[in-house]
Amino acid sequence: MNADRSEILGAILTIAAGLFVAFYAGNRYAIGQLENMGPGFFPVVLGIVLIGLGLLLGVGAFMRPSAEPVFSDLPWRAILAIPAAVTVFALLFKTTGLIPGASVATLVASLANAEFRLLPTLVLSLFLSVFVWMVFVYLLQIQIPAFTFLG
Amino acid sequence: MDLLGEFASHLAIGINEAVSVSNLWYCFVGVFFGCLIGMLPGLGVLVGVTLLLPITYHLPTTGALIMLAGVYFGADYGGGTSTILLGVPGTPSTAVNVLDGYPMAKKGRGGVALFMKCIASFSGSAVGILLLMLFAPLLTVAALEFGPAEYSALMLLGLVAASTVVRGSPVKGATMMVFGLILGTVGTDINTGVARFFFGLESLRDGVGLLAVTMGIFAISEVILNANRGAIFPVDQKFSLRDQLPTREDWRRCVGPILRGSGLGAFFGALPGTHSGIATWLAYAIEKRLSKKPDRFGKGAIEGVAAPEACNNAGVGTAFIPTLTLGIPGDAVMALMLASLMMHGIQPGPRVIGENPELFWGLIVSFWIGNIFLVILNIPLIGFWVRILSIPYRILFPAIILFTCIGVYSVDKNPFDLYILLLFGVFGFFMRMLKFEMAPLILGLILGPLLEENLKRALVLSEGDFIVFVTSPICALALLLTGLLLAWSTRVYLRGSDVAIRTTGQTERE
């Protein structure tokens, strides 16, 4: 097939999104008429436009020669480490406080880099968490406890 | 004389507002941070503004905008520095400097290039700000006559223009824009009270969370993409003040390019969608064509640095014109400025300047102050920046993640926002892998609700008759331009070529 595979994927995703939006909104929310647009009007129209754009993308995909596959060179360490870091932060900072949450998050995030070394990263995580505490809690007065076990 | 008196009193308000200790400090932080962000390759204005957005949420309105605008100006100054010294573009809009700035650096004239770039940038900014001061109040008067039909048409034009005149495929840009519009519908519809697309999650009743989406799409996805980037070491340069001064010949060569570049940049800056760099490439191409010795270009011609830099900075000033007078942003950064206004409870539109003169004039004065800060920061302190450039990325990116997470949380204190952040971070990353530009999504998200409301109002007033969109001249013109843009970009897309390449004949380096 003489088509660019990542373009096809983009086209399919777009069409799928458009279909979902149009049908979901069309079924649940009143569309109303032109002079009295209901909540569903705009989303349905947008969904249809999206489908149209997706079809256009599909056509364009078939008119291009195959390019190198996009998904061969993915930075897997980063894709796993960064979301993990955000999740870890989200889970920890309310229960243990800002400083532990930020430190662990930094550690986890640093795993994304292939040159990871434990000791410098530990230092970095402590430094960054204190720095971030100073900016947000001290300077900007945003109430996030640094350590929850200190009351 | 009355006009002059009025002008003077406006300036007085502005100076009063801008020269307060806190606003001066916000201005400095903004330009410093902008310079820093612009200098580090891979992070751009958008990431910079995004990172500071949650912080500015907690500041007073004027201070918030001063800081964000400072980032915008600073990033263009900083981006030029790294492009000249490293040969790697710090920001897309300064990429042109690779052609002549970097060769100058290699020949040992890097200091001169940086100096001239600074002067050019300041001149460009000056032109842009002057035009802003002149035209914004005038345009406001005209804009007060606009009705919802005009607004819808203009917003649509702005959206389409900003989404299609991007790097990469215009159709993909439009797709992301529409997706952003759809995301904008998530939440409770103001008119009917119906909660749309909330999937039973209470937190979604208020909308998807602009900040979390923006930071996810730009900051988090950026980090995932670049986490493995190492540090790049700059060319060895001497940076004493005397080494930096250009010769008289240099000055003579640059006057024209700076003026022409400023004019070009000021024009394009006010138009939607072009700040990503097309104007700077044009400025370069024009100078090359006008030069009596075009083969000097590409080997270290100082005009090749001066014109694009002036162009760049002039565009920043004029970009504020449609944003502050009409409430229509020209690109994603301006959209984020609008979002900041909205977060502080100000409804964008022609009334902004009239109802908030301290805001507008204070902003103007702070633009001048900010640019002066930037000249001071960039000329004598250049050695400091050079050392900054060697910071390894692996120290920076955890900081970005922390800033992002805490920033997002600090706005609504809702941990759910962090999961939105995560979701859109991953989404943004995969979309960029599939070569979809994310900036139009933000435009759609911010303008979506406004567009819908104006469309509704226009149709209610005209009782469902579409003729209203054609009878008003402004409407008709805007729609015509929109249609032309759509037709042109479809054609470009089906031919398989990149917008920037076709316009200038140059390839952009990433």
Side-chain angles (χ1 to χ4, degrees), chain B residues 127-406:
Chain B
V127 171
I129 302 173
L130 278 171
L131 287 174
L132 175 63
M133 289 165 79
L134 280 171
F135 282 110
L138 289 175
L139 203 51
T140 304
V141 173
L144 282 169
E145 305 292 317
F146 289 172
E150 278 82 11
Y151 267 113
S152 310
L154 283 171
M155 257 192 251
L156 195 60
L157 175 61
L159 276 173
V160 169
S163 311
T164 50
V165 185
V166 289
R167 294 180 291 164
S169 155
V171 177
K172 285 181 169 173
T175 307
M176 283 293 104
M177 185 245 318
V178 174
F179 193 68
L181 289 172
I182 294 177
L183 278 177
T185 62
V186 172
T188 310
D189 178 25
I190 318 175
N191 295 0
T192 58
V194 172
R196 297 188 283 195
F197 293 111
F198 78 106
F199 302 116
L201 293 163
E202 278 308 311
S203 303
L204 281 182
R205 275 189 197 269
D206 280 324
V208 79
L210 171 67
L211 207 57
V213 173
T214 309
M215 298 193 87
I217 286 180
F218 292 119
I220 299 282
S221 73
E222 186 73 41
V223 172
I224 300 181
L225 267 171
N226 288 313
N228 279 298
R229 186 194 283 264
I232 312 171
F233 294 98
V235 180
D236 219 343
Q237 297 284 320
K238 278 203 297 237
F239 285 120
S240 77
L241 204 53
R242 212 170 335 131
D243 285 329
Q244 285 198 285
L245 283 177
T247 65
R248 199 181 304 181
E249 176 71 20
D250 292 327
W251 286 106
R252 187 184 61 81
R253 283 221 181 95
C254 286
V255 172
I258 289 182
L259 287 174
R260 283 188 289 267
S262 304
L264 199 70
F267 174 70
F268 277 102
L271 298 179
T274 43
H275 195 73
S276 62
I278 294 187
T280 52
W281 289 95
L282 254 177
Y284 183 83
I286 289 180
E287 289 311 313
K288 188 166 174 185
R289 221 166 269 243
L290 285 177
S291 164
K292 298 193 185 75
K293 289 217 208 117
D295 29 287
R296 289 184 52 241
F297 282 76
K299 298 181 200 133
I302 199 167
E303 309 91 291
V305 171
E309 280 301 316
C311 179
N312 228 341
N313 285 69
V316 174
T318 51
F320 278 94
I321 297 182
T323 310
L324 291 176
T325 56
L326 298 172
I328 295 181
D331 61 7
V333 179
M334 284 295 131
L336 289 174
M337 302 268 179
L338 276 184
S340 184
L341 272 177
M342 292 196 275
M343 282 202 277
H344 286 90
I346 297 186
Q347 191 65 355
R351 276 175 242 286
V352 168
I353 299 183
E355 286 172 7
N356 302 283
E358 347 66 63
L359 174 63
F360 179 71
W361 294 103
L363 209 55
I364 300 255
V365 176
S366 79
F367 286 176
W368 289 106
I369 299 179
N371 274 280
I372 296 177
F373 278 157
L374 281 166
V375 173
I376 299 177
L377 277 176
N378 275 284
I379 295 187
L381 295 183
I382 193 66
F384 164 73
W385 293 111
V386 172
R387 242 163 276 151
I388 291 269
L389 282 172
S390 17
I391 294 184
Y393 200 73
R394 62 182 164 79
I395 297 187
L396 283 176
F397 79 83
I400 297 178
I401 295 181
L402 286 180
F403 260 76
T404 308
C405 288
I406 303 180

